[in-house]
Amino acid sequence: MRGLILILVACTLCPSLHAQTIEGTVYDTKTKEPIVGVVIYLDGTSIVTTSDINGSFRLVVGSIINTTMVLSHLSYESLIIEKPFEHREKTFYLKEKMNLLEEAKVVADRFSRADKMRVFKEQFLGTSAAGKSCIIVNEEDIVLNYDHATNTLVGFSNNPIIVENRYLAYRVIFDLHRFIVQYSKMTLQITDATKVLYKGTSSFFDQSPFNIMIAKRREETYLRSSQYFWRNFVAEKPDNTRFKIYNRYRQIDVNEYFIVSDIASQKRVMVIPETNLNKGHHRVLEGTIYGVISVQSNRNYRSEVVFLTNHFFVDQFGNPDPVDHLMFFGDMGDQRLGDMLPMDFVYNPSSRTSR
């Protein structure tokens, strides 16, 4: 595909010695009354709870995760808390949703809903075995419009999208904030796409925690994921049999171009300035590029990583922050929701048990 691909989206072994606790109370902004049944979760993880009759909640997490915290309720606007492990406020207020009926507009459209939904599923769920196995339970909630003036397919949903991933046995609740596929001409052919972007928050629910076949599929998915790449990237002794890293066409050692240091329970990665690290990429037209590397896995998956920052952090689960300043192209960049595991996924093949 030509053009820029951005995915927000979003798994390791070693928990922190000290569990992290996030707690608070949720109130209605207008009435100041506590709200029961608010779903509180760490975005992209399986860590979720709900507020009780007093509006109180408590999340206990084994280790800091580089993600946001979401407070969600069908009757209220969602509240997203950045850096929840650093957030000191214990009181949260939600605004009630306005029940406004949008005026229905009939617009001539050369593309059918079935055609637009096909593109949505391909770019939202993916075309891998996992992506093709996914079923959107509430497909009717998704609104898809094609803007003929800009050749852009736009999608949104007023309700969270419920996805059943039968290959990896997860139910994923995805609150879609934005979905865009922009084309160079009036078409739905993905070869003519110049930008694919979707944003939102998600929570994962394990549907089959003790199945050996499912565990093996998850392990195989994890070993080709960006989370596993970053975890290996910052390891004291990286497994060079898993990933080979190149600067242009020369295989390199991470320490030639990056400084990795311990900061609290995370790793800090800094790009060493004034080196000959490649700083250009033909598909990135905006922002300052601090470096570009090529990655080849032991299964011959090929990817490129573009650094739009000169430093970032990686948590113990292999999740980088800020994630939107690191871009993947190639195999890891083409992964979609169907290929995603929870950000708190623990890779531990020796613990497999049969049902």
Side-chain angles (χ1 to χ4, degrees), residues 105-270:
K105 296 181 180 180
V106 179
V107 180
D109 193 341
R110 63 176 292 184
F111 304 113
S112 68
R113 175 172 172 82
D115 289 335
K116 291 181 287 189
M117 183 58 67
R118 173 183 54 79
V119 174
F120 178 83
K121 289 180 178 179
E122 287 177 354
Q123 296 307 313
F124 180 63
L125 302 174
T127 57
S128 64
K132 290 179 178 179
S133 81
C134 290
I135 295 176
I136 300 176
V137 176
N138 56 335
E139 189 174 304
E140 67 280 359
D141 287 338
I142 301 171
V143 179
L144 296 170
N145 295 316
Y146 193 95
D147 187 336
H148 292 260
T150 60
N151 298 324
T152 304
L153 177 65
V154 180
F156 66 92
S157 177
N158 289 324
N159 297 316
I161 298 173
I162 304 171
V163 178
E164 298 285 357
N165 187 330
R166 295 176 295 177
Y167 186 83
L168 297 176
Y170 286 111
R171 169 173 275 221
V172 185
I173 310 299
F174 196 95
D175 192 356
L176 182 66
H177 300 162
R178 193 181 187 194
F179 174 87
I180 290 175
V181 182
Q182 193 168 52
Y183 300 90
S184 59
K185 59 183 179 181
M186 189 179 298
T187 180
L188 286 177
Q189 294 297 320
I190 201 61
T191 52
D192 294 311
T194 58
K195 177 192 289 186
V196 178
L197 178 150
Y198 70 82
K199 291 185 177 182
T201 59
S202 60
S203 55
F204 287 71
F205 298 86
D206 195 336
Q207 305 292 86
S208 186
F210 305 114
N211 185 289
I212 292 179
M213 179 183 70
I214 295 299
K216 185 176 180 180
R217 288 177 180 174
R218 292 175 180 176
E219 291 163 12
E220 291 172 348
T221 299
Y222 172 71
L223 290 175
R224 61 176 183 266
S225 69
S226 60
Q227 286 89 348
Y228 181 62
F229 168 76
W230 288 123
R231 184 176 179 277
N232 190 70
F233 188 92
V234 300
E236 290 185 11
K237 295 181 179 180
D239 184 354
N240 295 322
T241 65
R242 291 287 184 182
F243 297 101
K244 294 179 180 179
I245 298 175
Y246 295 84
N247 177 27
R248 295 182 176 90
Y249 302 104
R250 184 177 72 87
Q251 186 175 350
I252 63 172
D253 184 282
V254 168
N255 296 321
E256 290 184 63
Y257 297 95
F258 301 89
I259 298 174
V260 180
S261 56
D262 292 307
I263 302 292
S265 61
Q266 302 194 72
K267 298 286 188 179
R268 183 185 187 188
V269 181
M270 294 188 64

